Amino acid sequence: MSFMVKTNAIRYPTLNGQPFVGGLTPYTHQHQTLLKVREALAQNKTICLLNTSVTGSGKTLANFAAAILDGVRTIGVYPTNELLNDQLVALNKPYLLPPNQIAKLDSQGIGDIKECFDHFKNNAQTLAFVTGEAMPIAALTNPDVLYLMMYDLYGQMYSDFAKSYGQRVFQNVLNNYPVIAFDEFHLYNAKQAANAAFMVGTAKELAPNKPHIFIFSSATPVDLTKTYLERLGLSVEEVSSATNEEGRVVCEPLEINLLASDLMRWKGGDTLRAVLDDILKWADSCTPVARGVFIVDSVYEAKRVATALRQRYPADQVGEVHGYMDSSERIGALRRRFSVGTTTIDVGVDLTDEKSKEFLVCEARSAAQAIQRIGRLGRGGRAPDVITIPNRVWLIVPEYAHEFLRNRLPENGEIERAEFSQKLHSAYQAFENFEAYINIYSPLEAIAACERILKQYQFDSKPEVENKLHQLVSTLYDQKPPANLEHIKENYKKLNKKQYAIWHKYGTPVKSPNSQSKKPKYYLPDLESFRGGMESDFTVAIYDELDKILGLKPIKTYSLPFIVRRTKFTELSKDAFYELVSHNHPAQAEVWLKEFPNPERVLGYVHVTGLIEGQAHEMAFDIIKQSLELVDSRQVMRVAGFSIPHPQLNLGGGINTKLRERSLNCWISEYKSFSVSKNLPPLFAVYPLKARLPNGQADEWSIAFGLDAFFLASLKSKQRYKSSKGTALII
């Protein structure tokens, strides 16, 4: 059952007579941001700004206004590559910034710069040049790279051969870039919010004579970060625009059709396909025909929707935007009449101009996801009376949320956009946000960073820096204010011992051939990276016949669990994989294979020949149960010996052999994965685990890896979740 509700347009007033970028008339939040940045620069202050203006209201121009008008060096931080590329195009206009004053500093951008300079041997050296000697006005990066910069990890993760360049990058960010703007900040989890607070505190303490302006752009509250920033003695100033009926349209009116589905059991695709024919008939009846975007959470469903559209329309009218597609193929996908994708679309990408769309069909497993995805549509700034094709949304929500909203929204009536968002927040159940992680593991991340940072300073300045860093850790993470500096140092020493013990237990040794210390160093990638993982991402290299048929680049990397569950595939040796690519694509093979990641990062190679129709294949990790004896299943454990039972993963034993040899940090529950997942955030990765007995029988358990394992271990041991059987689940 579905019902429809309409949201009104949102208008923001503009400030006539106030100079702004490109001669534009600014909104209040844009003008406020520019004034506060200029004021902080003039007064040599560290400030934090929170821009809560709605999606589509020009927060990017607000963030970069001082860069464009005054040449103030600014780092923009974007959580997805699609959003980063979108903003790169937006800034690269003649009246904004010239191309030589914009640097793209994601992995691809760093690689492109490195190729231009033969003497650049690594990413640390490349970044040291860009942020130091070159110093473009605008640097666009992702939080993963910024984390490595500000936690002084470049050149030190697996060895210290490029340590001096990494240290230079750290100092360059502190001293050369006064403005750092975090876009779509509401997407950051508890760990990542704590990371941002540590970055702010480090800049404030170690470069006190330099101004620093941190801008957090988020259309929804970020109370957790605000709490930690205020601990640093910084006020978080909100900049926003009040709505005004006489103002300029920033969000066009929407017609939202709400559909109920059992999203917990991945029935959203079935719900979508049930209404797809009606949606397309409506789209074709519009004049001109309506353009649309489909956003689902499963790559498999995205592929199925794209296939269904190609059966009805020419292939060049359908584009796919998701992680399973090669990045080069995703660039033009949003310009097609129909764009199909996953979360890579819903994070800040503007569906305007050549990417403009009139309708949106999407799943929404949380209120934040619903608001984020709805916000992609109606960003053209048109007044309602000139909109010929209504902005129409089909929003697929959980059954319980649908029931709640049906009883509280005016069917076929109109509601204020802000009130609709409030109703969405009330409709959804709360999910675990892992704030407990901040108390247990965030201080240890900070300690590891502090110990690296301290080595940069000489004998005369080191004691002062040491005191500042010790105070910073105490300010951010101590539950009670310490009595004095001696108490601060005692607490730091205890945390330092704990940090070393955990890194030794769960981390990877760092080779330090020039080190005089007998105490080995360790790197813990599951914690010392923005998103975690690395060891447990289960990446395989793929040759995809489906993309080959469509004339798309067929080689890529993706997660093995998806391949096992949803594709028809054959495992190949590395030589056979390279031979397949070379035979089918002799002109491109050398370039394509050169771009592939280090072979050590991939588990193996597979040839995908099709998708599984209907019910997915069973996918579970498998391990001999004795390997887990005498281990508290509520804690993180480091275990080797995992495999994935599947007929196609036994050819030569390549992938499973490598998987068995890999020691992985994991968290295990004796409950099934469906029960464990119920109160976890949407798309949280909990897998089935078969704990096998000597007689061949197996207990059906569940397992999480990497950072997810540490998240689960941070929860209180008696925290209870309701299982599917109605009993209390203790994790």
Side-chain angles (χ1 to χ4, degrees):
M1 182 182 295
S2 68
F3 69 95
M4 190 263 286
V5 65
K6 299 177 182 178
T7 63
N8 65 334
I10 296 179
R11 297 173 180 267
Y12 279 172
T14 54
L15 301 176
N16 293 320
Q18 298 293 342
F20 196 63
V21 174
L24 299 173
T25 304
Y27 297 118
T28 304
H29 74 89
Q30 293 174 321
H31 183 62
Q32 287 178 342
T33 302
L34 177 60
L35 290 184
K36 290 183 181 296
V37 169
R38 286 173 168 171
E39 180 182 320
L41 291 169
Q43 298 178 6
N44 230 25
K45 293 198 310 182
T46 296
I47 65 168
C48 296
L49 303 178
L50 174 59
N51 191 332
T52 57
S53 302
V54 297
T55 295
S57 62
K59 290 195 286 289
T60 296
L61 279 185
N63 294 344
F64 282 92
I68 295 165
L69 294 173
D70 305 335
V72 178
R73 292 187 179 88
T74 300
I75 295 176
V77 187
Y78 304 97
T80 69
N81 290 334
E82 272 66 31
L83 178 56
L84 191 156
N85 290 327
D86 199 58
Q87 299 305 301
L88 186 67
V89 172
L91 288 173
N92 195 3
K93 295 178 180 177
Y95 63 89
L96 296 181
L97 289 170
N100 65 348
Q101 288 301 324
I102 306 175
K104 179 185 176 186
L105 298 182
D106 62 351
S107 58
Q108 180 184 344
I110 295 170
D112 291 342
I113 296 169
K114 190 163 55 175
E115 284 189 4
C116 295
F117 297 87
D118 293 338
H119 61 289
F120 287 175
K121 303 302 181 185
N122 51 64
N123 288 353
Q125 187 178 9
T126 307
L127 283 167
F129 169 76
V130 174
T131 59
E133 296 172 55
M135 277 194 295
I137 292 173
L140 277 61
T141 189
N142 54 43
D144 309 75
V145 171
L146 185 67
Y147 180 97
L148 297 177
M149 290 178 176
M150 292 298 288
Y151 277 71
D152 192 20
L153 279 160
Y154 272 109
Q156 302 198 61
M157 289 183 282
Y158 295 108
S159 69
D160 58 5
F161 71 93
K163 181 167 62 175
S164 63
Y165 290 113
Q167 293 174 349
R168 204 177 306 170
V169 172
F170 173 81
Q171 294 294 339
N172 287 346
V173 175
L174 288 187
N175 294 289
N176 297 343
Y177 283 87
V179 178
I180 298 180
F182 297 89
D183 206 2
E184 305 291 343
F185 192 75
H186 53 278
L187 298 174
Y188 287 34
N189 60 33
K191 168 198 174 347
Q192 295 160 354
N195 294 155
F198 177 77
M199 294 176 196
V200 172
T202 302
K204 175 179 178 287
E205 295 300 326
L206 299 190
N209 298 320
K210 295 278 187 177
H212 295 99
I213 300 94
F214 294 90
I215 305 173
F216 301 92
S217 294
S218 173
T220 54
V222 285
D223 294 337
L224 180 62
T225 300
K226 190 174 181 180
T227 298
Y228 279 85
L229 294 175
E230 288 175 345
R231 283 191 179 191
L232 297 171
L234 296 170
S235 63
V236 183
E237 302 180 50
E238 187 170 322
V239 291
S240 61
S241 296
T243 58
N244 186 307
E245 291 184 2
E246 303 301 319
R248 186 190 300 162
V249 174
V250 292
C251 293
E252 298 171 359
L254 302 176
E255 296 179 1
I256 304 173
N257 299 278
L258 291 108
L259 296 87
S261 184
D262 187 353
L263 295 182
M264 188 68 182
R265 289 181 171 83
W266 294 91
K267 300 296 185 181
D270 296 336
T271 304
L272 190 158
R273 280 184 289 278
V275 297
L276 182 59
D277 192 58
D278 290 338
I279 293 172
L280 296 177
K281 284 180 180 177
W282 168 81
D284 290 342
S285 71
C286 296
T287 305
V289 294
R291 296 159 55 90
V293 60
F294 298 80
I295 308 177
V296 292
D297 290 321
S298 161
V299 168
Y300 171 75
E301 291 298 348
K303 298 291 287 183
R304 289 192 69 183
V305 171
T307 299
L309 291 171
R310 290 191 183 103
Q311 290 171 351
R312 186 163 177 160
Y313 302 95
D316 61 3
Q317 292 190 24
V318 183
E320 296 181 52
V321 189
H322 49 75
Y324 190 70
M325 296 294 294
D326 180 79
S327 59
S328 62
E329 303 296 346
R330 302 200 301 257
I331 294 172
L334 289 170
R335 298 184 176 91
R336 311 277 178 90
R337 181 186 173 190
F338 301 109
S339 302
V340 186
T342 54
T343 54
T344 52
I345 295 181
D346 62 46
V347 182
V349 176
D350 278 330
L351 297 177
T352 56
D353 300 326
E354 72 277 9
K355 295 175 290 186
S356 181
K357 301 290 192 289
E358 287 76 43
F359 74 90
L360 162 70
V361 186
C362 65
E363 296 175 307
R365 282 174 162 75
S366 69
Q369 195 180 60
I371 294 167
Q372 182 74 12
R373 290 177 174 177
I374 290 171
R376 298 307 96 212
L377 201 64
R379 299 171 64 138
R382 298 171 296 173
D385 58 352
V386 302
I387 298 175
T388 55
I389 303 174
N391 296 303
R392 190 165 289 184
V393 178
W394 282 265
L395 185 68
I396 303 169
V397 302
E399 292 164 334
Y400 71 87
H402 185 273
E403 183 67 19
F404 179 95
L405 294 167
R406 191 173 56 142
N407 294 324
R408 290 165 177 81
L409 293 177
E411 186 169 356
N412 295 319
E414 188 170 289
I415 187 172
E416 295 285 332
R417 186 80 165 258
E419 185 182 352
F420 179 67
S421 296
Q422 290 171 358
K423 289 282 194 291
L424 282 172
H425 280 294
S426 300
Y428 281 85
Q429 70 182 50
F431 294 104
E432 177 59 56
N433 67 357
F434 300 110
E435 284 189 36
Y437 178 97
I438 297 178
N439 298 324
I440 300 173
Y441 295 112
S442 292
L444 308 185
E445 288 184 67
I447 292 286
C450 290
E451 290 299 297
R452 287 187 294 269
I453 292 167
L454 274 171
K455 294 176 182 177
Q456 299 185 25
Y457 292 87
Q458 302 302 317
F459 180 79
D460 56 343
S461 60
K462 192 170 184 177
E464 181 184 0
V465 173
E466 186 175 64
N467 287 340
K468 286 183 174 182
L469 290 176
H470 290 185
Q471 178 72 59
L472 174 60
V473 173
S474 175
T475 299
L476 284 174
Y477 306 115
D478 279 356
Q479 298 301 305
K480 296 180 180 179
N484 49 47
L485 183 60
E486 183 179 352
H487 191 190
I488 289 173
K489 288 186 173 294
E490 287 176 3
N491 286 352
Y492 185 95
K493 189 175 181 180
K494 291 177 184 176
L495 284 173
N496 196 357
K497 288 183 178 179
K498 183 178 180 182
Q499 179 265 324
Y500 186 83
I502 288 179
W503 264 238
H504 176 268
K505 184 175 182 179
Y506 300 115
T508 303
V510 177
K511 298 176 182 178
S512 303
N514 299 321
S515 175
Q516 302 300 313
S517 174
K518 295 182 180 179
K519 193 176 182 181
K521 293 165 58 180
Y522 293 89
Y523 168 54
L524 181 47
D526 288 336
L527 301 188
E528 291 191 280
S529 56
F530 186 74
R531 300 174 210 264
M534 294 181 71
E535 288 182 324
S536 56
D537 54 11
F538 308 118
T539 299
V540 290
I542 301 158
Y543 184 92
D544 188 3
E545 288 289 340
L546 298 172
D547 285 347
K548 177 192 171 189
I549 293 170
L550 293 171
L552 304 176
K553 184 178 178 181
I555 69 168
K556 66 197 79 174
T557 58
Y558 206 65
S559 176
L560 178 62
F562 170 80
I563 301 301
V564 172
R565 281 178 52 81
R566 286 301 192 179
T567 73
K568 303 171 185 176
F569 73 94
T570 303
E571 182 180 357
L572 300 176
S573 68
K574 179 182 176 182
D575 289 342
F577 182 87
Y578 277 51
E579 183 179 343
L580 178 64
V581 177
S582 300
H583 175 75
N584 289 341
H585 310 276
Q588 301 97 339
E590 184 177 354
V591 174
W592 286 354
L593 294 172
K594 183 181 178 182
E595 295 171 349
F596 245 43
N598 187 326
E600 294 301 315
R601 286 293 312 279
V602 298
L603 277 171
Y605 302 83
V606 296
H607 182 188
V608 172
T609 55
L611 294 178
I612 300 293
E613 294 295 331
Q615 187 173 357
H617 281 166
E618 179 182 356
M619 197 295 300
F621 287 90
D622 181 282
I623 195 167
I624 301 300
K625 191 174 182 180
Q626 282 89 330
S627 304
L628 309 175
E629 285 185 352
L630 304 178
V631 178
D632 184 347
S633 64
R634 294 191 298 266
Q635 301 301 317
V636 177
M637 60 186 85
R638 191 164 181 85
V639 182
F642 292 104
S643 62
I644 298 178
H646 189 279
Q648 295 299 324
L649 289 179
N650 291 324
L651 301 180
I655 289 177
N656 269 329
T657 297
K658 200 165 185 179
L659 182 56
R660 287 188 193 98
E661 294 170 349
R662 185 174 288 187
S663 293
L664 299 169
N665 296 323
C666 58
W667 175 97
I668 292 173
S669 169
E670 295 182 8
Y671 287 84
K672 292 184 178 181
S673 57
F674 182 84
S675 299
V676 173
S677 297
K678 275 204 159 186
N679 287 78
L680 298 179
L683 312 183
F684 193 91
V686 176
Y687 299 100
L689 173 68
K690 292 185 182 297
R692 198 165 298 283
L693 300 168
N695 62 8
Q697 293 182 337
D699 289 326
E700 301 281 336
W701 290 357
S702 58
I703 187 166
F705 295 97
L707 177 59
D708 291 339
F710 286 95
F711 276 149
L712 291 169
S714 70
L715 301 179
K716 294 179 181 178
S717 60
K718 293 186 179 180
Q719 188 162 350
R720 294 173 183 267
Y721 288 97
K722 188 176 181 183
S723 80
S724 59
K725 297 179 182 178
T727 58
L729 171 65
I730 303 175
I731 61 173

